[in-house]
Amino acid sequence: MSIFSKIAAGEIPSYCCASNDEFYAFLDINPMVKGHTLVIPRREVDYIFDLTDEELGRFQVFAAHVARAIKSVIPCVKVGEAVLGLEVPHAHIHLIPMQNERDMLFSNPKLQLPAEEMQNIANRIKEAFEKQ
Ligand code: AMP
C-alpha cells in the first residue's frame, strides 16, 4: 500500500481538503505556498497516464472543484496545476495557488507552517468544496 493510499484510508493523518468515493485531496506537507494541495485517486496507480480515460476525466473534474474551493479561500491570481510523481509512486495532481509563475518552481524552498495553520487552511478549503 502506498503512503498516499494509507493517507486516503485514514491510516496516516493528513490535512483533508476534499473527498469522495474515488478521489481524495489533502495539503502537501511541504507546501510551496499556503494552500498547496495534492489530489489523488483512491485506486493505487503510480503513473497518472496509466489511469483509464474515464478515470482521468473524473479526476480532472474533481481537481477542478478542489481548485475552485482553494481559489475562493486563498488569495491568488490562479490555481496552477502540475504533475511530477518523481517522489511518491501514487498518481497525484499538485494544485498551487499562484501569485506569479515563480510559485510553480519546485526547486523553491518549501514553507514550514504550524499545524494549526495547516488545519485551518484545510478546513476552509473543505468548507468551500462542500458548499459547491
Ligand atoms: P512528487 O512525487 O515529486 O510529485 O512529490 C511528492 C509530494 O508529496 C511532495 O510535494 C511532498 O511534499 C508530498 N508529500 C510526501 N509525503 C506527504 C505526506 N505524508 N503528506 C502530505 N504530502 C506529502
Side-chain angles (χ1 to χ4, degrees), residues 3-4 7 12-14 26-31 36 38 83-90 92 94 106 110:
I3 182 170
F4 284 177
I7 284 175
I12 291 179
S14 67
F26 57 106
L27 294 184
D28 193 298
I29 203 73
N30 299 122
H36 179 177
L38 302 177
V83 174
L84 285 80
L86 295 173
E87 205 181 294
V88 177
H90 183 135
H92 52 281
H94 292 258
F106 279 78
K110 306 300 185 291

Side-chain angles (χ1 to χ4, degrees), residues 4-126:
F4 284 177
S5 288
K6 289 180 182 168
I7 284 175
E11 291 173 19
I12 291 179
S14 67
Y15 297 103
C16 177
C17 299
S19 170
N20 71 10
D21 287 351
E22 201 175 12
F23 306 108
Y24 188 82
F26 57 106
L27 294 184
D28 193 298
I29 203 73
N30 299 122
M32 307 227 287
V33 297
K34 290 182 186 184
H36 179 177
T37 300
L38 302 177
V39 189
I40 61 169
R42 290 181 184 277
R43 186 164 87 83
E44 196 170 315
V45 172
D46 174 0
Y47 184 44
I48 189 168
F49 299 122
D50 285 336
L51 291 168
T52 67
D53 291 356
E54 292 73 23
E55 284 173 323
L56 279 168
R58 293 192 297 274
F59 192 22
Q60 187 60 75
V61 169
F62 183 83
H65 292 174
V66 178
R68 288 184 196 128
I70 293 170
K71 186 155 191 314
S72 74
V73 298
I74 304 283
C76 61
V77 177
K78 287 185 175 175
V79 173
E81 176 176 303
V83 174
L84 285 80
L86 295 173
E87 205 181 294
V88 177
H90 183 135
H92 52 281
I93 292 173
H94 292 258
L95 296 175
I96 299 163
M98 298 180 293
Q99 304 303 334
N100 55 60
E101 70 179 45
R102 288 186 302 282
D103 288 333
M104 294 298 286
L105 294 177
F106 279 78
S107 51
N108 284 343
K110 306 300 185 291
L111 299 180
Q112 290 282 336
L113 301 177
E116 311 88 79
E117 186 169 9
M118 292 287 275
Q119 191 61 66
N120 179 265
I121 292 168
N123 289 347
R124 288 189 292 129
I125 294 171
K126 195 158 192 276

